[in-house]
């Protein structure tokens, strides 16, 4: 079953008094809008948080006055910080309309300063996966490109790192990034801009539940980020039950989309498989998973993520022995497996737990 695309669905971000976010503008936009100084330098000051003072860019008074007339300089505020025992910090960010999103700052425990941010693409999510806390919220709205980008800038200004090349980004926070593809990709182009953070496209990973129409569009886009696929089941029957997206794009169609993506030299998919006790953790599942991966089992990573339990789902985490056994079954079939115990579990900042606990205002 491949079926037609789902009904177009629209949850625009609110109009901000008709002004574009300053963080969504390229130097050429600033130029075209009549920037009274150097557009390149203005962009640089906006997009390099290590040059900011007191959490805001340092702009000359003429440029600031002009920019305030043509763009919205609002940045998300840090509403809450919850440091976890594993060194990561979960942050709740408050947007201009009072909605909250969550992001996680995860320093890597190696000598070179490297930090991974897990960031959001939407407030809530429409995809309704039954094991996911964000899915339980439903969709509230898309993030604008400036909001996606400014999450990164605000985290850098508050917690580091000091430079874009020390940063890795995973779109594994709230939302289905490919449901908000235009804003997502504009943000990626801004992140990679050499006058801004200058990130390499290989340091950005977009995780999807398997929205094939979005995967096929992203495959053609430049720059093209890395792709992570959330599989989480090995039969269409089971996957359609826990991940409604599978009712439109089934496992065979998803596999075909990966073949059409055509991984280039050095490009790796990351497969994510949330282990749900008694649901998807048998040897038959391991066998079907290896079969589905086919030649992709070599050279591409398969991450096993034991279910992070939360109040909104009855699924449970399998015991450590079963996790190890499942990993061994896959390794015996030639898969490259890692077990990812989510960071930030003690502050509900791990995968699928990025949900605000307060009721919506
Ligand atoms: N919407 C995208 C990205 C955000 S979810 C996606 O689904 O890929 C990021 C990852 O968290 C996905 O791999 C998802 O399967 C996983 N996840 C969701 N709920 C989880 C839970 N309760 N425990 C562990 N992982 C979970
Ligand atoms: Fe949305 Fe991903 Fe959660 Fe599914 S797992 S509901 S796609 S955030």
């Amino acid at each position: 079953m491949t079926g037609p695309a789902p009904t177009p669905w629209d949850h625009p971000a609110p109009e901000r008094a008709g002004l574009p976010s300053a963080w969504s503008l390229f130097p050429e936009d600033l130029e075209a809008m009549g920037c009274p100084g150097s557009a390149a330098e203005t962009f640089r000051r906006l997009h390099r948080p290590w040059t900011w003072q007191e959490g805001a860019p340092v702009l000359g008074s003429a440029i600031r006055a002009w920019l305030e007339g043509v763009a919205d300089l609002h940045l998300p505020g840090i509403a809450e910080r919850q440091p976890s025992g594993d060194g990561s910090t979960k942050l709740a960010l408050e947007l201009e309309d009072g909605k909250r999103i969550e992001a996680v700052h995860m320093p890597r425990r190696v000598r070179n300063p490297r930090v991974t941010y897990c960031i959001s693409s939407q407030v809530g999510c429409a995809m309704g996966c039954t094991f996911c806390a964000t899915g339980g919220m439903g969709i509230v709205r898309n993030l604008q490109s400036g909001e996606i980008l400014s999450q990164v800038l605000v985290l850098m200004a508050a917690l580091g790192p000091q430079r874009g090349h020390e940063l890795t980004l995973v779109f594994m926070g709230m939302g289905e990034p490919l449901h908000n593809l235009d804003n997502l990709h504009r943000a990626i182009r801004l992140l990679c801009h050499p006058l801004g953070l200058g990130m390499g496209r290989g340091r950005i990973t977009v995780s999807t539940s398997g929205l094939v129409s979005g995967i096929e569009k992203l495959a053609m886009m430049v720059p093209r980020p890395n792709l992570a696929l959330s599989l989480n089941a090995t039969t269409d029957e089971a996957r359609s039950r826990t991940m409604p997206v599978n009712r439109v794009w089934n496992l065979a169609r998803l596999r075909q989309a990966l073949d059409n993506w055509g991984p280039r030299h050095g490009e790796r998919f990351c497969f994510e498989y949330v282990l749900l006790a008694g649901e998807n953790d048998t040897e038959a599942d391991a066998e079907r998973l290896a079969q589905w991966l086919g030649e992709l089992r070599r050279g591409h990573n398969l991450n096993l993520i034991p279910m992070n339990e939360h109040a909104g789902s009855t699924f449970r985490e399998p015991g450590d022995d079963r996790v190890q056994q499942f990993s061994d079954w896959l390794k015996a079939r030639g898969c490259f497996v890692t077990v990812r115990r989510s960071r930030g579990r003690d502050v509900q900042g791990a995968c699928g737990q990025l949900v605000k606990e307060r009721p919506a205002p």
Side-chain angles (χ1 to χ4, degrees):
M1 179 190 88
T2 52
T7 316
W9 137 108
D10 189 24
H11 293 275
E15 275 290 312
R16 300 157 153 219
L19 297 179
S21 163
W23 318 99
S24 68
L25 302 172
F26 288 93
E28 50 274 29
D29 298 321
L30 295 166
E31 185 81 60
M33 289 161 76
C35 181
S38 160
E41 181 57 22
T42 304
F43 182 87
R44 211 183 270 129
R45 290 182 180 211
L46 288 169
H47 287 259
R48 296 190 163 177
W50 56 91
T51 66
W52 293 6
Q53 281 171 19
E54 291 167 17
V58 181
L59 301 167
S61 51
I63 301 262
R64 176 170 286 277
W66 167 76
L67 202 50
E68 281 172 350
V70 297
D72 181 351
L73 274 160
H74 182 268
L75 283 166
I78 298 181
E80 262 177 70
R81 284 185 206 208
Q82 295 183 40
S84 154
D86 62 14
S88 60
T89 305
K90 183 182 92 165
L91 297 109
L93 301 177
E94 188 154 313
L95 304 171
E96 201 168 8
D97 62 356
K99 300 278 184 292
R100 286 188 176 193
I101 50 170
E102 296 186 348
V104 190
H105 176 276
M106 298 174 282
R108 234 195 272 165
R109 286 160 282 200
V110 290
R111 252 181 309 142
N112 294 339
R114 289 258 180 250
V115 181
T116 301
Y117 293 172
C118 174
I119 57 172
S120 297
S121 54
Q122 300 181 307
V123 184
C125 181
M127 306 304 283
C129 305
T130 57
F131 45 82
C132 174
T134 307
M137 283 176 76
I139 179 71
V140 179
R141 70 170 176 86
N142 278 335
L143 295 186
Q144 294 182 336
S145 58
E147 291 174 316
I148 296 175
L149 201 272
S150 57
Q151 274 176 88
V152 177
L153 302 180
V154 164
L155 257 68
M156 282 182 91
L159 296 165
Q162 290 293 308
R163 295 288 187 274
H165 67 260
E166 294 168 3
L167 191 62
T168 303
L169 293 184
V170 293
F171 281 90
M172 294 184 189
M174 271 188 188
E176 166 52 57
L178 300 187
H179 240 164
N180 188 16
L181 186 55
D182 290 345
N183 286 317
L184 172 84
H185 200 260
R186 187 177 177 96
I188 291 173
R189 293 200 307 277
L190 289 160
L191 289 162
C192 294
H193 199 290
L195 293 175
L197 295 181
M199 290 191 72
R201 49 149 222 95
R203 305 205 75 89
I204 302 175
T205 297
V206 170
S207 177
T208 178
S209 56
L211 205 58
V212 166
S213 56
I215 295 172
E216 290 181 342
K217 282 188 202 141
L218 187 62
M220 312 298 289
M221 291 179 154
V222 179
R224 183 166 93 163
N226 292 325
L227 194 64
L229 282 308
S230 301
L231 295 176
N232 306 340
T234 63
T235 66
D236 281 322
E237 187 274 313
R239 196 164 191 270
S240 295
R241 208 166 2 94
T242 52
M243 301 182 74
V245 65
N246 197 76
R247 298 174 199 160
V248 181
W249 288 289
N250 67 12
L251 281 162
R253 185 68 183 83
L254 179 57
R255 186 66 183 72
Q256 188 190 15
L258 300 188
D259 284 336
N260 294 341
W261 178 276
R264 297 179 194 139
H265 183 68
E267 219 181 11
R268 293 200 170 140
F269 293 123
C270 171
F271 298 100
E272 295 158 285
Y273 191 88
V274 180
L275 274 169
L276 309 169
E279 168 69 21
N280 64 0
D281 61 350
T282 65
E283 186 167 12
D285 282 305
E287 172 61 25
R288 282 190 293 264
L289 183 51
Q291 288 294 334
W292 184 87
L293 288 169
E295 66 195 29
L296 294 179
R297 70 182 88 170
R298 275 170 270 284
H300 301 271
N301 299 328
L302 173 57
N303 271 323
L304 300 180
I305 315 171
M307 165 77 186
N308 291 310
E309 298 176 7
H310 56 88
S313 172
T314 52
F315 286 119
R316 292 286 162 254
E317 174 182 357
D320 287 349
D321 289 355
R322 176 45 74 108
V323 173
Q324 187 57 49
Q325 173 77 84
F326 197 78
S327 164
D328 291 344
W329 283 328
L330 288 164
K331 284 181 184 161
R333 288 164 173 82
C335 300
F336 186 73
V337 191
T338 48
V339 176
R340 193 171 80 203
R341 299 226 166 253
S342 303
R343 301 185 68 184
R345 280 159 82 99
D346 51 339
V347 290
Q348 298 279 300
C351 305
Q353 296 177 311
L354 292 178
V355 63
K356 59 180 191 285
E357 276 113 42
R358 298 183 324 157

